[in-house]
Amino acid sequence: MDNVVPAGSTATSSTSTSTLGHLALGLTLLAFGVGHTGVIDNVTAADASAVATWVGGVALFIAGLLEFRAGSAGTGTAFAGLGAFWFTWGTGVGTEVSAEAAGLFLLLWALLALTLTVASAGSGLFVQGVYGLLTVTLLLLGIASFAENGGLAKAGGWVGAVAGLAAWYGATAALAKWPAFPRRAAGRGVTATG
């Protein structure tokens, strides 16, 4: 019996992997963001470390490898890169580092998020919006860490939570076949694409 699995880079398998990746990213961002806001008593960003390590790190990295295999270099890069970020962050929680080192870590990863934002220009508003909000989240948290400013960290947490909700909604809409945006009436000579 042949144990080799064919690559089978169909649009359906890539779409499924992409949806799974966006769900993983959304849930991780939501947990990470809410933890930074302080909106729930006794819940901090550090409490999201297990979600970040396993869902945001391992699952997202594997989704990235599957996207590469399906021929989607952009989504593969996004998921694998973000998987590496979440795994590194999740396993590093509790490690004693200076505020400056933590700020630098977040700002360096904000560069990846910025790259993903720019590179996803043709991927749709949800995808580009999620990466854009992630960029803002990491910038705010990085600057907050350098400045040791709790208010700025909470603002970054709120932006991260919104990014997580957007990623979750986009993936859920894809699975449920909901429209990503309400359809608008098309004017003369304009087509409504949804």
Side-chain angles (χ1 to χ4, degrees):
M1 176 177 269
D2 190 9
N3 289 331
V4 177
V5 177
S9 60
T10 64
T12 304
S13 67
S14 180
T15 301
S16 300
T17 306
S18 177
T19 302
L20 173 64
H22 285 104
L23 277 172
L25 177 60
L27 295 175
T28 304
L29 263 171
L30 189 56
F32 178 77
V34 168
H36 274 92
T37 65
V39 72
I40 300 174
D41 287 338
N42 300 317
V43 174
T44 67
D47 295 323
S49 65
V51 172
T53 301
W54 299 107
V55 177
V58 175
L60 202 52
F61 188 81
I62 291 170
L65 295 179
L66 293 172
E67 284 291 315
F68 279 126
R69 182 177 178 192
S72 180
T75 307
T77 299
F79 290 168
L82 292 172
F85 164 71
W86 288 119
F87 187 83
T88 304
W89 182 83
T91 57
V93 168
T95 306
E96 290 295 321
V97 296
S98 67
E100 292 78 12
L104 180 61
F105 173 81
L106 292 167
L107 291 177
L108 289 174
W109 285 99
L111 291 175
L112 170 69
L114 179 62
T115 298
L116 298 176
T117 304
V118 172
S120 66
S123 298
L125 189 57
F126 268 127
V127 173
Q128 192 170 27
V130 167
Y131 294 148
L133 289 170
L134 175 60
T135 302
V136 172
T137 299
L138 295 174
L139 283 173
L140 287 173
L141 292 173
I143 293 167
S145 186
F146 275 114
E148 296 182 15
N149 184 322
L152 200 54
K154 283 185 180 188
W158 281 112
V159 175
V162 169
L165 283 174
W168 166 82
Y169 178 80
T172 301
L175 281 174
K177 304 205 183 336
W178 296 340
F181 294 100
R183 293 191 182 271
R184 296 171 293 187
R188 176 175 275 176
V190 178
T191 59
T193 58

